[in-house]
Amino acid sequence: PRHGFDDVSQPLAILGLYGKFKELNPSFARLVGYQEHEFAKAAWPSPHDRQVYKQQQEEFRLLVNGELENVNVQSTYMHGQGLMVPVVGELTLVKGEDGLPAHVLLTAEDRAAHG
Protein backbone atom coordinates (compact mmCIF):
# COMPACT_ATOMS: atom_id res chain seq x y z
CA PRO A 1 0.00 0.00 0.00
CA ARG A 2 1.10 3.56 -0.68
CA HIS A 3 1.40 5.22 2.72
CA GLY A 4 -0.61 8.41 3.08
CA PHE A 5 -2.57 7.52 -0.04
CA ASP A 6 -4.07 4.04 0.00
CA ASP A 7 -4.61 4.15 3.77
CA VAL A 8 -6.48 7.47 3.73
CA SER A 9 -10.27 7.34 4.01
CA GLN A 10 -10.66 10.47 1.87
CA PRO A 11 -10.90 9.87 -1.89
CA LEU A 12 -7.56 10.79 -3.48
CA ALA A 13 -6.40 10.65 -7.09
CA ILE A 14 -3.08 11.50 -8.69
CA LEU A 15 -3.21 13.20 -12.06
CA GLY A 16 -0.45 13.64 -14.56
CA LEU A 17 0.47 17.14 -15.70
CA TYR A 18 -1.74 16.68 -18.75
CA GLY A 19 -4.76 15.70 -16.69
CA LYS A 20 -4.61 11.92 -17.07
CA PHE A 21 -5.63 9.89 -14.02
CA LYS A 22 -2.52 7.99 -12.88
CA GLU A 23 -3.38 6.61 -9.45
CA LEU A 24 -6.54 6.24 -7.38
CA ASN A 25 -6.76 5.25 -3.77
CA PRO A 26 -9.43 2.71 -2.78
CA SER A 27 -11.82 5.45 -1.59
CA PHE A 28 -11.65 7.26 -4.93
CA ALA A 29 -12.09 3.97 -6.78
CA ARG A 30 -15.26 3.39 -4.76
CA LEU A 31 -16.46 6.94 -5.45
CA VAL A 32 -16.27 6.52 -9.23
CA GLY A 33 -16.98 2.79 -9.33
CA TYR A 34 -13.84 1.87 -11.26
CA GLN A 35 -10.61 0.12 -10.41
CA GLU A 36 -7.44 2.19 -10.68
CA HIS A 37 -6.33 0.68 -14.01
CA GLU A 38 -9.81 1.05 -15.50
CA PHE A 39 -9.95 4.76 -14.75
CA ALA A 40 -6.63 5.45 -16.51
CA LYS A 41 -8.65 6.27 -19.62
CA ALA A 42 -10.36 9.12 -17.81
CA ALA A 43 -8.94 12.62 -17.80
CA TRP A 44 -9.40 15.96 -16.10
CA PRO A 45 -11.48 17.96 -16.70
CA SER A 46 -14.50 15.75 -17.18
CA PRO A 47 -16.13 16.05 -20.62
CA HIS A 48 -19.49 15.87 -18.84
CA ASP A 49 -19.00 19.39 -17.48
CA ARG A 50 -19.51 21.28 -20.71
CA GLN A 51 -20.44 24.57 -19.05
CA VAL A 52 -17.22 24.80 -17.06
CA TYR A 53 -14.92 22.61 -19.19
CA LYS A 54 -12.92 25.50 -20.66
CA GLN A 55 -12.62 27.19 -17.28
CA GLN A 56 -11.44 23.96 -15.65
CA GLN A 57 -8.91 23.41 -18.43
CA GLU A 58 -7.54 26.89 -17.90
CA GLU A 59 -7.40 26.51 -14.11
CA PHE A 60 -5.56 23.20 -14.52
CA ARG A 61 -3.04 24.88 -16.83
CA LEU A 62 -2.48 27.73 -14.37
CA LEU A 63 -2.03 25.21 -11.56
CA VAL A 64 0.57 23.19 -13.48
CA ASN A 65 2.34 26.43 -14.43
CA GLY A 66 2.59 27.32 -10.76
CA GLU A 67 0.34 30.36 -11.08
CA LEU A 68 -2.24 28.87 -8.72
CA GLU A 69 -1.55 27.01 -5.47
CA ASN A 70 -4.76 25.01 -5.58
CA VAL A 71 -8.15 25.02 -7.28
CA ASN A 72 -11.53 24.15 -5.83
CA VAL A 73 -13.37 21.88 -8.21
CA GLN A 74 -16.84 20.51 -8.74
CA SER A 75 -17.12 17.96 -11.47
CA THR A 76 -19.17 15.03 -12.69
CA TYR A 77 -17.95 11.61 -13.81
CA MET A 78 -19.73 8.58 -15.12
CA HIS A 79 -19.81 5.90 -12.42
CA GLY A 80 -18.90 2.34 -13.30
CA GLN A 81 -22.56 1.41 -12.93
CA GLY A 82 -23.68 4.11 -15.35
CA LEU A 83 -24.82 6.80 -12.92
CA MET A 84 -23.38 10.29 -12.84
CA VAL A 85 -21.43 11.00 -9.66
CA PRO A 86 -20.33 14.40 -8.41
CA VAL A 87 -16.63 14.78 -7.68
CA VAL A 88 -16.23 17.76 -5.39
CA GLY A 89 -12.89 18.73 -3.96
CA GLU A 90 -9.58 20.40 -4.62
CA LEU A 91 -6.67 20.12 -7.03
CA THR A 92 -3.21 20.77 -5.61
CA LEU A 93 0.09 20.88 -7.47
CA VAL A 94 2.71 18.53 -6.03
CA LYS A 95 6.36 19.31 -6.75
CA GLY A 96 9.17 16.82 -6.98
CA GLU A 97 12.48 17.00 -5.14
CA ASP A 98 13.81 19.07 -8.03
CA GLY A 99 11.18 21.71 -7.32
CA LEU A 100 9.48 21.11 -10.64
CA PRO A 101 5.82 20.11 -10.96
CA ALA A 102 5.55 16.33 -10.49
CA HIS A 103 1.82 15.69 -10.52
CA VAL A 104 -1.52 17.03 -9.36
CA LEU A 105 -3.37 15.67 -6.36
CA LEU A 106 -7.16 15.59 -6.50
CA THR A 107 -8.67 15.45 -3.01
CA ALA A 108 -12.38 14.68 -3.20
CA GLU A 109 -15.12 14.74 -0.62
CA ASP A 110 -16.45 11.37 0.43
CA ARG A 111 -20.08 11.29 -0.71
CA ALA A 112 -20.98 8.80 2.01
CA ALA A 113 -20.00 11.41 4.59
CA HIS A 114 -22.69 13.70 3.21
CA GLY A 115 -25.51 11.22 3.68
Side-chain angles (χ1 to χ4, degrees):
R2 294 158 291 194
H3 183 64
F5 188 70
D6 285 332
D7 52 3
V8 176
S9 62
Q10 190 163 30
L12 300 175
I14 289 176
L15 303 171
L17 299 179
Y18 295 102
K20 283 300 237 188
F21 279 85
K22 301 245 185 236
E23 299 175 34
L24 311 181
N25 75 352
S27 297
F28 198 96
R30 270 196 305 279
L31 179 70
V32 292
Y34 286 97
Q35 293 302 312
E36 190 172 67
H37 68 276
E38 296 173 321
F39 210 64
K41 291 191 280 288
W44 184 272
S46 169
H48 299 293
D49 298 320
R50 290 189 187 87
Q51 318 85 298
V52 291
Y53 187 82
K54 284 264 186 283
Q55 180 194 339
Q56 288 186 337
Q57 263 184 326
E58 179 64 9
E59 287 173 345
F60 193 86
R61 192 183 66 78
L62 292 171
L63 186 72
V64 169
N65 287 350
E67 296 171 53
L68 290 173
E69 287 286 308
N70 44 39
V71 179
N72 287 320
V73 293
Q74 192 160 358
S75 190
T76 314
Y77 279 88
M78 181 74 82
H79 188 277
Q81 293 171 344
L83 308 164
M84 300 304 281
V85 287
V87 175
V88 180
E90 189 179 56
L91 294 172
T92 313
L93 183 67
V94 179
K95 293 185 173 153
E97 290 173 11
D98 54 7
L100 296 171
H103 57 261
V104 173
L105 180 67
L106 170 54
T107 308
E109 292 177 6
D110 196 350
R111 284 190 317 141
H114 297 282

